Amino acid sequence: MRESTFWPRLLAHPWILGIAGILIVLLLWTGVTATGLVDRLFLPSPAAVLAAGQAQASAGILGRDLVASVTRVFTGFALSAAVALPLGIAMGTNRAICQLLEPLMGLIRYMPAPAFIPLLIIYFGLEELPKVMLIFIGTVFFNTLMIMDAVKFVPHELVETALTLGGKRAQLLTRVITPCIAPQVLDTYRINMASAWNLVIVAELVAANEGLGKRISLAQRFLRTDEIFVGLIVIGVIGLLIDLGFRLLMRRACSWAN
Amino acid sequence: MHLSVDSVSKSFGEGKARKLVLENVSFTISSGEFVALVGSSGSGKSTMMRLVAGLDRPSAGTITVDGVPVKGPGSDRGMVFQKYSLYPWLTAAQNVAFGMSLQGLPRREVQERTSYFLEVVGLSDAARRLPRELSGGMQQRVAIARALAAEPKVLLLDEPFGALDLQIRESMQEFLHGLWQRTGLTALLITHDLEEALLLAQRVHILAPRPGRIVRSVAADLPHGELAHLRVTPEFLALREELAACLRGLDGGLGL
Ligand SMILES: Nc1ncnc2c1ncn2[C@@H]1O[C@H](COP(=O)(O)OP(=O)(O)O)[C@@H](O)[C@H]1O
Ligand SMILES: [Mg+2]
């Protein structure tokens, strides 16, 4: 009888198994490194990674890298989000604009963003601008096309009801279409934010003075695998926090859609 | 108020793909009248409704409200759809207030009229609930209240109860009938349910399919007092049987 209530109760708290999964990997990792079977150079112990992280944090390196990478991601992505929203809505509501831009965007979207790095460096040098532009280019087409799709799925009854209630064209955009697509827009941003993180690391591997990606490539040069692990884990945690942030915002702002 | 549909035809597509959906349809509605258009699915009922609402233009013929040709949608013709009738992100009260706030009415007035119309449809208690927290019947009542709150000259109802269970549909018919008796609204109801049309409307037009055209128009001069009674009176049953045979004939003629 006991077993029959155990699983449902456990599954009712999704984070329990989630944390268990992480702990299992941590335990395996500790176990494998403790046996000494694997060369430390390839796989440092969790304690060594923690120590490396602490050393970087207390030297102020970690904080500076974090600020540098996060600033790039947020600037580039904010720009992308701000362009994609009106453009996606315009393409979703206007057939001419859609026919003009959709094939073009569909084409550019499949060009791998990192392949633009050489061009961006030639155009914008080695400072912040090329990195921000890479994140912008790498996410703006996905953001736009996904928002356009969300607009196309707005039930036409909702738009037409507003018209029969005396709504003006401009009101359709602000009072019907925008609130209706808000949940999908937030979800689009949440999903494409992951690409922004990929791209900032790629950009920093190529050219940067600081940033989490830069730290990883420096660590590689000096065979500091512990520092590579620090970088990877920090990037993962920040990504997860941003993801959770978007989910929380969605639950707060768009509770009607759950 | 006088709404007049005069020799209206509508076709979609061009050239070989051209499809005639409505052919030479004419009827009128005057203030306080309740008119129903009955036809099988695909007979062009929704198309007719969209033309009256101004959401589409006729290919031929004219539609006028008080002599003025319909050029587009407007708040003088309120519409209730069968599906997606409410804004899911707005509460019941905000939905009712939606048209009034689009039109820029003063806040006080919007609030007063919102609570009045919620009361008219018997949903004052549900004011703060979201559409997904309301039953299908309640949602359609909110949609009707929202349309009425914008003070249309005529209410256009496109199968408003088509998605509801039979039992709820019957109580919604009672509700709409009572509303009509109390408020003297003017309505054009579109339905595939002959009984619904005969119960609610004073005039019923039968629409034949492919292309949609009116083949019979009857005045439902029945004692519309109590719907539950009306359903079983001999006059009602006889008229329903006669028109049902007419509708069957239309489908039978196509070998369905
Ligand atoms: N926008 C449109 N383009 C092409 N055909 C349409 C369009 N709207 C409706 N039709 C056609 O018109 C016919 C009648 O449709 P409709 O008015 O929705 O019928 P009903 O509401 O009586 O079921 C259908 O065959 C449908 O395919
Ligand atoms: Mg229809």
Side-chain angles (χ1 to χ4, degrees):
Chain A
M1 281 325 285
R2 255 179 145 183
E3 282 143 82
S4 65
T5 62
F6 175 72
W7 280 109
R9 272 205 216 155
L10 185 66
L11 294 174
H13 302 283
W15 46 269
I16 294 183
L17 281 179
I19 290 174
I22 293 171
L23 284 179
I24 289 169
V25 170
L26 267 178
L27 274 176
L28 282 176
W29 181 11
T30 314
V32 169
T33 49
T35 59
L37 282 173
V38 184
D39 188 342
R40 230 169 240 208
L41 197 58
F42 293 145
L43 187 65
S45 68
V49 171
L50 192 65
Q54 274 168 346
Q56 281 193 357
S58 57
I61 301 172
L62 189 61
R64 256 179 314 187
D65 285 343
L66 213 80
V67 170
S69 294
V70 168
T71 307
R72 286 167 192 146
V73 167
F74 275 64
T75 315
F77 198 81
L79 212 61
S80 160
V83 170
L85 186 64
L87 196 57
I89 291 177
M91 287 173 70
T93 51
N94 185 302
R95 278 192 31 211
I97 298 178
C98 179
Q99 287 177 8
L100 182 72
L101 295 179
E102 197 182 1
L104 182 69
M105 289 202 169
L107 179 74
I108 303 176
R109 177 165 69 145
Y110 280 102
M111 300 178 183
F116 283 90
I117 292 177
L119 271 184
L120 292 173
I121 289 178
I122 292 170
Y123 295 161
F124 303 119
L126 292 168
E127 299 300 309
E128 292 304 303
L129 193 56
K131 301 178 187 72
V132 169
M133 287 310 290
L134 179 70
I135 291 165
F136 175 77
I137 291 176
T139 56
V140 73
F141 302 110
F142 285 92
N143 276 339
T144 305
L145 292 171
M146 286 165 82
I147 290 172
M148 176 191 81
D149 275 341
V151 173
K152 286 184 177 174
F153 276 101
V154 173
H156 66 86
E157 284 91 341
L158 295 185
V159 173
E160 292 177 340
T161 298
L163 289 172
T164 63
L165 288 169
K168 309 266 176 303
R169 295 267 155 202
Q171 287 177 316
L172 296 182
L173 286 182
T174 56
R175 305 286 303 272
V176 181
I177 290 170
T178 306
C180 190
I181 63 170
Q184 286 96 314
V185 169
L186 284 179
D187 218 36
T188 295
Y189 289 166
R190 184 178 67 78
I191 291 163
N192 292 333
M193 194 68 178
S195 322
W197 270 101
N198 282 334
L199 291 169
V200 79
I201 301 303
V202 174
E204 289 173 358
L205 289 176
V206 175
N209 293 322
E210 51 198 14
L212 295 165
K214 176 66 187 176
R215 202 59 50 202
I216 289 176
S217 76
L218 276 180
Q220 181 213 3
R221 202 176 304 163
F222 299 106
L223 285 176
R224 291 293 304 264
T225 35
D226 50 349
E227 289 186 355
I228 295 181
F229 272 76
V230 170
L232 288 174
I233 291 171
V234 169
I235 291 166
V237 169
I238 294 173
L240 187 67
L241 288 179
I242 293 174
D243 202 272
L244 289 175
F246 270 113
R247 281 174 201 268
L248 198 70
L249 184 64
M250 178 117 108
R251 207 174 304 165
R252 283 277 162 81
C254 309
S255 56
W256 60 272
N258 297 324
Chain B
M1 199 285 306
H2 190 79
L3 183 131
S4 160
V5 173
D6 191 12
S7 314
V8 162
S9 298
K10 176 72 183 173
S11 52
F12 290 105
E14 297 288 324
K16 268 195 177 172
R18 190 177 150 94
K19 183 174 171 189
L20 187 62
V21 172
L22 288 172
E23 185 180 48
N24 203 21
V25 175
S26 301
F27 62 92
T28 63
I29 310 174
S30 300
S31 278
E33 253 190 322
F34 200 128
V35 173
L37 229 55
V38 185
S40 55
S41 163
S43 56
K45 303 184 298 295
S46 294
T47 304
M48 189 64 243
M49 195 63 119
R50 295 175 59 80
L51 295 178
V52 174
L55 296 167
D56 266 322
R57 301 298 147 79
S59 308
T62 52
I63 299 173
T64 56
V65 177
D66 292 332
V68 181
V70 166
K71 289 227 171 67
S75 59
D76 56 335
R77 284 149 291 134
M79 179 113 175
V80 175
F81 290 96
Q82 173 180 343
K83 282 190 304 175
Y84 304 113
S85 57
L86 296 183
Y87 296 102
W89 58 91
L90 300 177
T91 63
Q94 288 167 333
N95 263 287
V96 174
F98 193 73
M100 295 183 277
S101 78
L102 285 181
Q103 292 171 24
L105 263 63
R107 243 218 178 111
R108 269 293 289 279
E109 200 182 335
V110 172
Q111 275 174 4
E112 277 166 18
R113 282 172 57 180
T114 298
S115 37
Y116 170 73
F117 280 102
L118 274 173
E119 181 150 4
V120 166
V121 299
L123 286 174
S124 299
D125 292 341
R128 287 158 171 277
R129 286 204 246 161
L130 286 170
R132 68 182 165 119
E133 298 165 331
L134 302 172
S135 70
M138 289 162 106
Q139 289 183 21
Q140 289 308 70
R141 267 145 71 191
V142 174
I144 291 170
R146 182 183 55 197
L148 291 177
E151 299 209 308
K153 291 177 179 169
V154 55
L155 186 62
L156 309 175
L157 303 155
D158 188 353
E159 308 218 30
F161 312 141
L164 305 178
D165 297 340
L166 184 62
Q167 241 174 355
I168 298 165
R169 196 152 74 210
E170 285 186 1
S171 75
M172 288 299 290
Q173 289 162 357
E174 302 273 358
F175 158 77
L176 188 56
H177 184 64
L179 192 69
W180 175 66
Q181 284 180 321
R182 270 183 293 149
T183 62
L185 60 88
T186 311
L188 174 60
L189 170 75
I190 272 177
T191 178
H192 64 264
D193 182 345
L194 178 60
E195 176 165 301
E196 182 169 278
L198 286 173
L199 284 173
L200 296 173
Q202 297 168 298
R203 210 125 51 84
V204 176
H205 303 288
I206 306 277
L207 208 59
R210 282 164 290 255
R213 62 211 183 277
I214 293 177
V215 289
R216 265 303 284 274
S217 299
V218 295
D221 280 330
L222 300 162
H224 281 279
E226 280 267 334
L227 290 197
H229 278 271
L230 180 56
R231 276 180 219 276
V232 290
T233 57
E235 298 99 311
F236 177 83
L237 292 173
L239 189 55
R240 195 186 74 179
E241 201 35 60
E242 185 193 335
L243 294 180
C246 168
L247 275 168
R248 272 196 301 274
L250 296 172
D251 283 344
L254 289 154
L256 294 174

